[in-house]
Structures are given as C-alpha cells and as structure tokens.
C-alpha cells in the first residue's frame, strides 16, 4: 500500500514506516541465520524471504506481518534465492542455486526455478533455467531472466511448458 518498506540490513529483515521512519525487526529468528531476498505479498499481509546458515544451508520462509509467525515452505536444506509470491498469494516461486566454490556442494542437485504452495506441501520444478522470477498481473505464467546469446526475458507456464522468449 506504499506505507511501509521491507529491506535487509546485515543479514536481518526490517520493516520501516515511510510516514514516521520507525523501523522494527521483522522476525526473531536465530542470530546466526541470515534473512535475505524479502518480498511483500500483493495483499500486504505476508513477506516471503530466504534464509542462509553456513552449516545448515537455507530455506524459503513466509512471515505474517501482523503476528510475526514464520512458516518454512521448503522441506530440505539448499541454496534458495529470489522468492516471489504469485499475484493471488497461493504459492511462491523461487530459484534453487548451485553450490561450490565457497558454499558446500551438498543439496546442489536439480537447480532451477520451483514453485511451492503456500502451505509448503510440495515443491515442483518448473524449469532448470532462469533467474529473478516475477509475475505479471496473473498467476498463470512466471517471467524470468534467461541465458541466451545475451540475457533475455522469458516466461513459462507453471507446469514447465510453453516457454516464450519476450
């Protein structure tokens, strides 16, 4: 609604009122756990974000802005980034990234874009490609950046078919 902003600072999520500048920490999660990539639901009631811990790895979580209850949507540890709510708020699309270099290679198989319903019952792989998933006005297609000869904007339906390069 344009009255508050969510942001990450030093690995923690904060909500700031734009009218008076007051800021509050969004969660009360473990101090070692980093909270990253926050995004509001379109109804303004929830925020989706990813977590990271060097030993436990990461997860995708949703927090209710009003009562601060946090729910984990992913069932296994991994390198999860860029979560985004569908316009109707019924599911989240996120990217599972590859490990290596300074992060462990464990839980790095099957990278790509995934969707998980808001109840966290099942994650379904949409495509092995792409990054920065987003939605338009509808929940039927996911838009994302893809690697072609140059970076390109593409979309795909939620079952992983009908890929289009825009």
């Amino acid at each position: 609604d344009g009255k508050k902003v969510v942001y990450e600072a030093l690995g923690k999520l904060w909500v700031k009122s734009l009218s008076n500048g007051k800021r509050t920490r969004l969660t009360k999660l473990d101090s070692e756990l980093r909270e990253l990539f926050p995004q509001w639901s379109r109804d303004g009631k929830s925020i989706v974000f990813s977590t990271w811990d060097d030993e436990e790895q990461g997860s995708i979580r949703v927090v209710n802005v009003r009562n601060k209850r946090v729910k984990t949507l992913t069932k296994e540890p991994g390198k999860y980034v860029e979560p985004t709510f569908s316009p109707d708020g019924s599911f989240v699309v996120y990217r599972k990234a590859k490990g290596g270099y300074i992060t462990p290679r464990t839980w790095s198989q099957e990278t790509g874009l995934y969707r998980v319903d808001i109840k966290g019952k099942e994650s379904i792989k949409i495509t092995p490609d792409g990054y920065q998933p987003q939605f338009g006005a509808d929940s039927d297609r996911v838009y994302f950046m893809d690697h072609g000869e140059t970076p390109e904007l593409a979309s795909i339906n939620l079952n992983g078919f009908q890929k289009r390069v825009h």
Side-chain angles (χ1 to χ4, degrees), residues 73-121:
L73 300 182
T74 49
K75 301 244 185 272
E76 62 186 33
K79 293 143 196 78
Y80 302 115
V81 295
E82 303 162 351
T84 184
F85 275 106
S86 62
D88 64 8
S90 64
F91 58 92
V92 167
V93 171
Y94 61 89
R95 180 167 62 101
K96 184 176 181 183
K98 190 174 189 175
Y101 305 109
I102 63 170
T103 60
R105 294 181 192 270
T106 54
W107 299 103
S108 290
Q109 297 76 26
E110 298 297 321
T111 60
L113 299 182
Y114 286 77
R115 71 177 160 93
V116 60
D117 66 81
I118 202 68
K119 294 179 179 146
K121 292 186 178 179

Side-chain angles (χ1 to χ4, degrees), residues 1-69:
D1 63 6
K3 295 179 181 176
K4 295 180 181 180
V5 65
V6 62
Y7 63 95
E8 179 264 328
L10 300 175
K12 301 300 173 203
L13 298 183
W14 300 84
V15 175
K16 181 178 179 177
S17 169
L18 296 178
S19 62
N20 64 15
K22 182 181 175 189
R23 63 185 176 271
T24 57
R25 175 125 180 254
L26 183 61
T27 72
K28 302 269 190 231
L29 298 177
D30 180 353
S31 63
E32 296 299 313
L33 192 65
R34 286 171 220 47
E35 305 162 1
L36 308 159
F37 299 101
Q39 188 183 81
W40 290 95
S41 61
R42 293 196 184 182
D43 65 8
K45 295 179 180 179
S46 301
I47 294 172
V48 65
F49 62 100
S50 57
T51 64
W52 180 257
D53 176 272
D54 288 342
E55 292 180 23
E56 302 297 320
Q57 298 202 33
S59 63
I60 298 292
R61 300 185 188 199
V62 172
V63 59
N64 179 302
V65 176
R66 204 177 95 228
N67 65 22
K68 309 284 191 209
R69 286 194 189 132

Side-chain angles (χ1 to χ4, degrees), residues 113-132:
L113 299 182
Y114 286 77
R115 71 177 160 93
V116 60
D117 66 81
I118 202 68
K119 294 179 179 146
K121 292 186 178 179
E122 182 180 14
S123 288
I124 298 169
K125 188 173 188 175
I126 300 171
T127 178
D129 305 312
Y131 57 99
Q132 297 177 344

